[in-house]
Amino acid sequence: MKVLVVDDDALSRKMLEKIISTLAEVTSVDSGVSAVLTFSQALEKSTPFDVITLDITMPGLDGMGALQEIRKIEKTKNLSKDKQTKIIMVTAHSEKHMVLSCIKMGCDDYIAKPFDKDIVLNKFKGFAAAKSSEKSGSDVEQKVQQIVRRFKEGKISLPVLPRIVQDVQAIIKEPHSTMDHLAQVIEKDALISMKLIATANSPVYRGAEKIQSISTAVQRLGYKETQSIVSAIANKGLYIAKHKQFGKLMEKLWYHSLASAYGGRAIAQKSGYGDVEKAFFMGLVHDIGKALIIKALDEITPTNKEVDETELIAILQDVHTRFGAVLLKHWGFADEFSQVALLHEGQDISDKTPKEILMINLASNLARRIGYSLFDMEIDLASITSARFLRLNPGLLSTITENVKQQLSEARDTFQDF
Ligand SMILES: [Fe+2]
């Protein structure tokens, strides 16, 4: 903590310095003018004083005058209240009536002369404690920082990409693969098989007869659609938390991902850029970094403890992109997937940005627009830069939006119990 002591009386200065020096780094000056100058120089160097004690009565610019000047400077710098220097007026007994005017001018506290060592010490201890809690951050911030640190050191165990997703991806890449191959791979996973059959029998896909085998399910759903559904179901397993509050966030995040997947697919279709199923999969995994952080938080937070959710969401927003990029790389996805995870928030978008990043940026905004998001936001999709670079006009955008809305409400029924 940095403190500036301002007093024209050398003895008072020395006494204050002595008391405070156990808690802070102290500078002292003997006039109002020097006080303002020293204050603004420190501010310019970005090493501002945390506290200034101002003697009220000084020749030339007095304490009140210095207080006004300092607050004026802070105002021109647009410093918020919590960034302003704490100012303590130092008053002789006869000046107590002036304290009220000083408070109106923006001082924070006062101390009386002659100094009572304990009172002064306690006040400064209070300032020091406030400063250190500000520095060390809130509970959730500390936890995320801990996770970020462990992540950088490679100490966070990364979740495993479900085997079935890898296998299905491999089959799709294989040029001579058939629907039977696909069915054989899916059959190896009993849980996914069950869910896929349930999906094929859901109102959205239901045909004349009830399906009971994977091969007929794959036929009814089609090759690509099967891949999308299997990926979606398998991915959902990554969005689970023990903690009730995190469980709810994961659920929202999962729907945000699914909406972004449908959005990515619809945008790829309508814009004519890129591989439609790849866009679906990119949408599905673009925010996987958030799931990874929530999962790590879930492990270190007692189940009965709630965290500040608004703050958590803001912090996630800040750090998730790097986490996602690293996880996707670890899973062996092509670089373009990591790039999507890293850049989908639309930071540096230009006409040179790869189309899939533009598509997923737009898709995740579309998901927000229709209410599938961790936070509410009014968004005009047509005004988003990525929509412009993809040459999607407002009419096309609203068609896509309606499509995705429809698909999501159907998907909610399909995926509800998974
Ligand atoms: Fe994101």
PDB file of all heavy atoms in Angstrom, residues 331-347:
ATOM      1  N   TRP A 331      -7.586 -33.642 -28.420  1.00  0.00           N
ATOM      2  CA  TRP A 331      -8.450 -34.700 -28.937  1.00  0.00           C
ATOM      3  C   TRP A 331      -8.090 -35.099 -30.367  1.00  0.00           C
ATOM      4  O   TRP A 331      -8.747 -35.956 -30.956  1.00  0.00           O
ATOM      5  CB  TRP A 331      -9.910 -34.243 -28.896  1.00  0.00           C
ATOM      6  CG  TRP A 331     -10.554 -34.401 -27.549  1.00  0.00           C
ATOM      7  CD1 TRP A 331     -10.078 -35.104 -26.485  1.00  0.00           C
ATOM      8  CD2 TRP A 331     -11.817 -33.860 -27.130  1.00  0.00           C
ATOM      9  NE1 TRP A 331     -10.962 -35.031 -25.433  1.00  0.00           N
ATOM     10  CE2 TRP A 331     -12.041 -34.274 -25.807  1.00  0.00           C
ATOM     11  CE3 TRP A 331     -12.779 -33.060 -27.751  1.00  0.00           C
ATOM     12  CZ2 TRP A 331     -13.181 -33.923 -25.083  1.00  0.00           C
ATOM     13  CZ3 TRP A 331     -13.913 -32.703 -27.036  1.00  0.00           C
ATOM     14  CH2 TRP A 331     -14.104 -33.131 -25.714  1.00  0.00           C
ATOM     15  N   GLY A 332      -7.130 -34.411 -30.931  1.00  0.00           N
ATOM     16  CA  GLY A 332      -6.692 -34.763 -32.272  1.00  0.00           C
ATOM     17  C   GLY A 332      -7.543 -34.178 -33.394  1.00  0.00           C
ATOM     18  O   GLY A 332      -7.464 -34.630 -34.536  1.00  0.00           O
ATOM     19  N   PHE A 333      -8.342 -33.149 -33.069  1.00  0.00           N
ATOM     20  CA  PHE A 333      -9.107 -32.504 -34.136  1.00  0.00           C
ATOM     21  C   PHE A 333      -8.186 -31.679 -35.015  1.00  0.00           C
ATOM     22  O   PHE A 333      -7.128 -31.218 -34.560  1.00  0.00           O
ATOM     23  CB  PHE A 333     -10.149 -31.563 -33.526  1.00  0.00           C
ATOM     24  CG  PHE A 333     -11.385 -32.261 -33.066  1.00  0.00           C
ATOM     25  CD1 PHE A 333     -11.411 -32.928 -31.850  1.00  0.00           C
ATOM     26  CD2 PHE A 333     -12.524 -32.252 -33.848  1.00  0.00           C
ATOM     27  CE1 PHE A 333     -12.543 -33.583 -31.424  1.00  0.00           C
ATOM     28  CE2 PHE A 333     -13.661 -32.911 -33.432  1.00  0.00           C
ATOM     29  CZ  PHE A 333     -13.679 -33.579 -32.220  1.00  0.00           C
ATOM     30  N   ALA A 334      -8.591 -31.487 -36.267  1.00  0.00           N
ATOM     31  CA  ALA A 334      -7.798 -30.674 -37.191  1.00  0.00           C
ATOM     32  C   ALA A 334      -7.675 -29.256 -36.632  1.00  0.00           C
ATOM     33  O   ALA A 334      -8.521 -28.815 -35.854  1.00  0.00           O
ATOM     34  CB  ALA A 334      -8.478 -30.644 -38.551  1.00  0.00           C
ATOM     35  N   ASP A 335      -6.612 -28.570 -37.037  1.00  0.00           N
ATOM     36  CA  ASP A 335      -6.344 -27.218 -36.545  1.00  0.00           C
ATOM     37  C   ASP A 335      -7.512 -26.264 -36.704  1.00  0.00           C
ATOM     38  O   ASP A 335      -7.717 -25.381 -35.890  1.00  0.00           O
ATOM     39  CB  ASP A 335      -5.140 -26.627 -37.297  1.00  0.00           C
ATOM     40  CG  ASP A 335      -3.851 -26.964 -36.581  1.00  0.00           C
ATOM     41  OD1 ASP A 335      -3.937 -27.545 -35.472  1.00  0.00           O
ATOM     42  OD2 ASP A 335      -2.778 -26.656 -37.127  1.00  0.00           O
ATOM     43  N   GLU A 336      -8.277 -26.453 -37.778  1.00  0.00           N
ATOM     44  CA  GLU A 336      -9.380 -25.506 -37.998  1.00  0.00           C
ATOM     45  C   GLU A 336     -10.400 -25.554 -36.852  1.00  0.00           C
ATOM     46  O   GLU A 336     -11.039 -24.549 -36.560  1.00  0.00           O
ATOM     47  CB  GLU A 336     -10.058 -25.758 -39.353  1.00  0.00           C
ATOM     48  CG  GLU A 336     -10.338 -27.216 -39.594  1.00  0.00           C
ATOM     49  CD  GLU A 336     -10.891 -27.509 -40.990  1.00  0.00           C
ATOM     50  OE1 GLU A 336     -11.207 -26.564 -41.716  1.00  0.00           O
ATOM     51  OE2 GLU A 336     -11.024 -28.701 -41.309  1.00  0.00           O
ATOM     52  N   PHE A 337     -10.507 -26.688 -36.179  1.00  0.00           N
ATOM     53  CA  PHE A 337     -11.414 -26.775 -35.025  1.00  0.00           C
ATOM     54  C   PHE A 337     -10.882 -25.927 -33.858  1.00  0.00           C
ATOM     55  O   PHE A 337     -11.617 -25.178 -33.237  1.00  0.00           O
ATOM     56  CB  PHE A 337     -11.579 -28.230 -34.572  1.00  0.00           C
ATOM     57  CG  PHE A 337     -12.617 -28.982 -35.359  1.00  0.00           C
ATOM     58  CD1 PHE A 337     -12.300 -29.562 -36.571  1.00  0.00           C
ATOM     59  CD2 PHE A 337     -13.918 -29.094 -34.887  1.00  0.00           C
ATOM     60  CE1 PHE A 337     -13.259 -30.249 -37.303  1.00  0.00           C
ATOM     61  CE2 PHE A 337     -14.883 -29.778 -35.611  1.00  0.00           C
ATOM     62  CZ  PHE A 337     -14.548 -30.357 -36.820  1.00  0.00           C
ATOM     63  N   SER A 338      -9.579 -26.061 -33.593  1.00  0.00           N
ATOM     64  CA  SER A 338      -8.970 -25.251 -32.527  1.00  0.00           C
ATOM     65  C   SER A 338      -9.110 -23.764 -32.838  1.00  0.00           C
ATOM     66  O   SER A 338      -9.355 -22.958 -31.952  1.00  0.00           O
ATOM     67  CB  SER A 338      -7.488 -25.573 -32.378  1.00  0.00           C
ATOM     68  OG  SER A 338      -7.353 -26.887 -31.911  1.00  0.00           O
ATOM     69  N   GLN A 339      -8.952 -23.436 -34.109  1.00  0.00           N
ATOM     70  CA  GLN A 339      -9.084 -22.036 -34.510  1.00  0.00           C
ATOM     71  C   GLN A 339     -10.488 -21.510 -34.243  1.00  0.00           C
ATOM     72  O   GLN A 339     -10.678 -20.381 -33.817  1.00  0.00           O
ATOM     73  CB  GLN A 339      -8.728 -21.869 -36.009  1.00  0.00           C
ATOM     74  CG  GLN A 339      -7.263 -22.028 -36.313  1.00  0.00           C
ATOM     75  CD  GLN A 339      -6.417 -20.994 -35.593  1.00  0.00           C
ATOM     76  OE1 GLN A 339      -6.705 -19.807 -35.640  1.00  0.00           O
ATOM     77  NE2 GLN A 339      -5.385 -21.445 -34.894  1.00  0.00           N
ATOM     78  N   VAL A 340     -11.480 -22.355 -34.511  1.00  0.00           N
ATOM     79  CA  VAL A 340     -12.872 -21.957 -34.252  1.00  0.00           C
ATOM     80  C   VAL A 340     -13.070 -21.726 -32.752  1.00  0.00           C
ATOM     81  O   VAL A 340     -13.652 -20.726 -32.331  1.00  0.00           O
ATOM     82  CB  VAL A 340     -13.861 -23.018 -34.790  1.00  0.00           C
ATOM     83  CG1 VAL A 340     -15.246 -22.821 -34.191  1.00  0.00           C
ATOM     84  CG2 VAL A 340     -13.933 -22.953 -36.309  1.00  0.00           C
ATOM     85  N   ALA A 341     -12.530 -22.653 -31.939  1.00  0.00           N
ATOM     86  CA  ALA A 341     -12.676 -22.505 -30.486  1.00  0.00           C
ATOM     87  C   ALA A 341     -11.998 -21.216 -30.018  1.00  0.00           C
ATOM     88  O   ALA A 341     -12.509 -20.504 -29.156  1.00  0.00           O
ATOM     89  CB  ALA A 341     -12.079 -23.710 -29.771  1.00  0.00           C
ATOM     90  N   LEU A 342     -10.875 -20.908 -30.621  1.00  0.00           N
ATOM     91  CA  LEU A 342     -10.080 -19.754 -30.199  1.00  0.00           C
ATOM     92  C   LEU A 342     -10.687 -18.423 -30.651  1.00  0.00           C
ATOM     93  O   LEU A 342     -10.659 -17.441 -29.922  1.00  0.00           O
ATOM     94  CB  LEU A 342      -8.673 -19.902 -30.785  1.00  0.00           C
ATOM     95  CG  LEU A 342      -7.548 -19.104 -30.156  1.00  0.00           C
ATOM     96  CD1 LEU A 342      -7.388 -19.481 -28.684  1.00  0.00           C
ATOM     97  CD2 LEU A 342      -6.243 -19.371 -30.893  1.00  0.00           C
ATOM     98  N   LEU A 343     -11.280 -18.407 -31.839  1.00  0.00           N
ATOM     99  CA  LEU A 343     -11.648 -17.109 -32.440  1.00  0.00           C
ATOM    100  C   LEU A 343     -13.152 -16.889 -32.650  1.00  0.00           C
ATOM    101  O   LEU A 343     -13.548 -15.857 -33.184  1.00  0.00           O
ATOM    102  CB  LEU A 343     -10.908 -16.947 -33.784  1.00  0.00           C
ATOM    103  CG  LEU A 343      -9.375 -16.969 -33.668  1.00  0.00           C
ATOM    104  CD1 LEU A 343      -8.727 -17.099 -35.038  1.00  0.00           C
ATOM    105  CD2 LEU A 343      -8.869 -15.713 -32.964  1.00  0.00           C
ATOM    106  N   HIS A 344     -13.977 -17.852 -32.202  1.00  0.00           N
ATOM    107  CA  HIS A 344     -15.401 -17.730 -32.523  1.00  0.00           C
ATOM    108  C   HIS A 344     -16.094 -16.552 -31.864  1.00  0.00           C
ATOM    109  O   HIS A 344     -17.197 -16.178 -32.258  1.00  0.00           O
ATOM    110  CB  HIS A 344     -16.148 -19.016 -32.138  1.00  0.00           C
ATOM    111  CG  HIS A 344     -16.247 -19.209 -30.658  1.00  0.00           C
ATOM    112  ND1 HIS A 344     -15.325 -19.925 -29.950  1.00  0.00           N
ATOM    113  CD2 HIS A 344     -17.149 -18.764 -29.746  1.00  0.00           C
ATOM    114  CE1 HIS A 344     -15.651 -19.917 -28.661  1.00  0.00           C
ATOM    115  NE2 HIS A 344     -16.755 -19.209 -28.515  1.00  0.00           N
ATOM    116  N   GLU A 345     -15.478 -15.949 -30.834  1.00  0.00           N
ATOM    117  CA  GLU A 345     -16.156 -14.827 -30.178  1.00  0.00           C
ATOM    118  C   GLU A 345     -16.119 -13.564 -31.042  1.00  0.00           C
ATOM    119  O   GLU A 345     -16.725 -12.548 -30.702  1.00  0.00           O
ATOM    120  CB  GLU A 345     -15.563 -14.546 -28.797  1.00  0.00           C
ATOM    121  CG  GLU A 345     -15.802 -15.658 -27.771  1.00  0.00           C
ATOM    122  CD  GLU A 345     -17.267 -15.830 -27.360  1.00  0.00           C
ATOM    123  OE1 GLU A 345     -18.071 -14.911 -27.615  1.00  0.00           O
ATOM    124  OE2 GLU A 345     -17.604 -16.885 -26.821  1.00  0.00           O
ATOM    125  N   GLY A 346     -15.375 -13.631 -32.143  1.00  0.00           N
ATOM    126  CA  GLY A 346     -15.424 -12.528 -33.092  1.00  0.00           C
ATOM    127  C   GLY A 346     -14.435 -11.406 -32.789  1.00  0.00           C
ATOM    128  O   GLY A 346     -14.576 -10.311 -33.307  1.00  0.00           O
ATOM    129  N   GLN A 347     -13.425 -11.708 -31.988  1.00  0.00           N
ATOM    130  CA  GLN A 347     -12.374 -10.717 -31.738  1.00  0.00           C
ATOM    131  C   GLN A 347     -11.708 -10.492 -33.092  1.00  0.00           C
ATOM    132  O   GLN A 347     -12.002 -10.687 -33.798  1.00  0.00           O
ATOM    133  CB  GLN A 347     -11.379 -11.127 -30.654  1.00  0.00           C
ATOM    134  CG  GLN A 347     -10.849 -12.492 -30.386  1.00  0.00           C
ATOM    135  CD  GLN A 347     -11.607 -13.741 -30.187  1.00  0.00           C
ATOM    136  OE1 GLN A 347     -12.618 -13.987 -30.787  1.00  0.00           O
ATOM    137  NE2 GLN A 347     -11.079 -14.599 -29.384  1.00  0.00           N
TER     138      GLN A 347
END
